[in-house]
């Protein structure tokens, strides 16, 4: 489904040059659950943001299905993201002024209208068990509930690929497990997931794990079943 070929990402600021990604070759098949691990600063978020097309590689190719994303303009990329991708972040990134159901509806962007919109939003909230908090605001929810709401927002549009950057990083053990169980269930239903994590036990819930160091992928292993 996805192929990164020889991706490089260099940041240049005040004469300091950082290479965040080096020689990245990575293929992700439809239905995979891939965990990305590695020490702080090794390029995990840059890799995820590259997959999410919110960060552009300095060089290399990014193929999604038969589309070459490197050749796509900003407008087309924004449309692509809205239709194909769902994002989950460590810090939830919900909008404080909107209720949970309004936050979840943001994941639909311009797609679906009227009744269909409401049905999709309530189905997504049901799936992650936060329907009873639909009219609440983010600050009225626990961290675990906020992250589940963020997952509902990510999946409401039926994305082809879910990108999660340390989705359990700000959660206690119990809430972290709950979020992992939701991600695993989504994967079993067919969602393709790429997840960055610092937790070896959460990485073990993925089918494949890659390890990064200094901008490179240094190991790739399938979980023994
Ligand atoms: N916007 C930027 N400008 C300059 N350098 C950047 C920028 N974003 C990331 N970097 C650098 O790129 C490298 C990789 O950063 P990245 O955020 O991908 O690491 P990470 O593996 O996600 O780390 P962590 O586990 O701490 O989240 C780091 O050296 C970082 O300082
Ligand atoms: Mg990071």
């Amino acid at each position: 489904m996805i192929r990164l070929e020889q991706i490089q990402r260099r940041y240049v600021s005040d004469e300091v040059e950082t290479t965040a990604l080096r020689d990245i070759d990575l293929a992700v098949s439809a239905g995979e659950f891939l965990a990305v691990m590695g020490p702080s600063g090794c390029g995990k978020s840059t890799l995820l943001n590259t997959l999410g097309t919110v960060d552009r590689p300095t060089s290399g190719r990014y193929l999604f299905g038969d589309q070459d994303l490197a050749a796509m303009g900003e407008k087309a990329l924004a449309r692509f993201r809205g239709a194909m991708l769902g994002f989950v972040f460590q810090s939830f990134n919900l909008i404080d002024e909107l209720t949970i159901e309004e936050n979840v509806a943001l994941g639909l962007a311009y797609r679906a209208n009227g009744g269909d919109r409401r049905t999709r939003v309530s189905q997504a909230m049901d799936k992650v068990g936060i329907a009873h908090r639909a009219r609440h605001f983010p600050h009225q929810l626990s961290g675990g509930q906020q992250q589940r709401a963020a997952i509902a927002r990510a999946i409401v549009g039926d994305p082809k690929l879910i990108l999660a950057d340390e989705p359990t990083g700000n959660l206690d053990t119990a809430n972290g497990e709950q979020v992992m169980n939701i991600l695993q269930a989504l994967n079993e239903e067919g969602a393709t997931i790429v997840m960055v994590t610092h937790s070896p036990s959460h990485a073990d819930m993925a089918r494949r794990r890659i390890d990064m160091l200094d901008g490179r992928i240094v190991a790739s292993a399938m979980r023994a079943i």
Side-chain angles (χ1 to χ4, degrees):
M1 181 169 93
I2 291 173
R3 223 162 64 229
L4 298 179
E5 293 175 354
Q6 281 300 301
I7 294 284
Q8 323 286 337
R9 178 60 165 112
R10 279 184 291 277
Y11 291 107
V12 185
S13 56
D14 301 335
E15 288 153 37
V16 183
E17 188 171 313
T18 313
T19 303
L21 297 177
R22 301 167 200 262
D23 308 327
I24 299 287
D25 288 310
L26 178 68
V28 182
S29 314
E32 264 209 77
F33 188 173
L34 177 68
V36 181
M37 294 198 79
S40 180
C42 71
K44 303 179 298 296
S45 293
T46 308
L47 176 64
L48 212 73
N49 292 337
T50 301
L51 288 169
T53 73
V54 287
D55 196 283
R56 288 260 192 160
T58 310
S59 63
R61 296 217 305 163
Y62 179 5
L63 304 170
F64 196 107
D66 51 11
Q67 301 184 88
D68 182 353
L69 299 186
M72 225 182 245
E74 269 313 317
K75 247 184 162 160
L77 275 184
R79 254 198 317 273
F80 164 84
R81 278 195 293 273
M84 299 291 188
L85 306 181
F87 293 90
V88 181
F89 304 94
Q90 179 173 2
S91 50
F92 322 138
N93 290 14
L94 297 169
I95 295 178
D96 293 333
E97 291 74 25
L98 299 181
T99 64
I100 293 306
E101 66 186 352
E102 289 165 347
N103 267 284
V104 172
L106 288 179
L108 283 171
Y110 328 100
R111 283 180 305 147
N113 41 32
D116 187 35
R117 225 177 146 79
R118 276 191 295 279
T119 310
R120 280 168 175 253
V121 168
S122 69
Q123 281 171 348
M125 289 191 303
D126 275 340
K127 216 171 212 173
V128 300
I130 47 131
H132 61 301
R133 292 286 183 264
R135 304 285 162 82
H136 287 68
F137 289 89
H139 72 268
Q140 298 173 308
L141 269 58
S142 72
Q145 289 170 332
Q146 289 186 51
Q147 191 60 306
R148 284 186 277 135
I151 293 174
R153 180 186 55 191
I155 62 172
V156 68
D158 249 336
K160 291 265 183 293
L161 174 65
I162 298 171
L163 297 167
D165 197 347
E166 300 192 42
T168 60
N170 281 344
L171 301 178
D172 60 41
T173 310
N175 280 302
E177 300 260 296
Q178 205 171 18
V179 160
M180 285 308 303
N181 289 336
I182 289 170
L183 291 176
Q184 206 167 37
L186 289 168
N187 175 246
E188 277 160 17
E189 287 171 21
T192 310
I193 304 179
V194 179
M195 172 188 74
V196 170
T197 182
H198 282 287
S199 159
S201 67
H202 292 172
D204 277 346
M205 293 176 79
R207 292 277 298 281
R208 179 159 66 115
R209 161 176 164 180
I210 60 174
D211 288 274
M212 296 184 67
L213 191 65
D214 269 346
R216 292 179 202 279
I217 296 173
V218 292
S220 169
M222 296 293 288
R223 183 187 61 197
I225 298 172

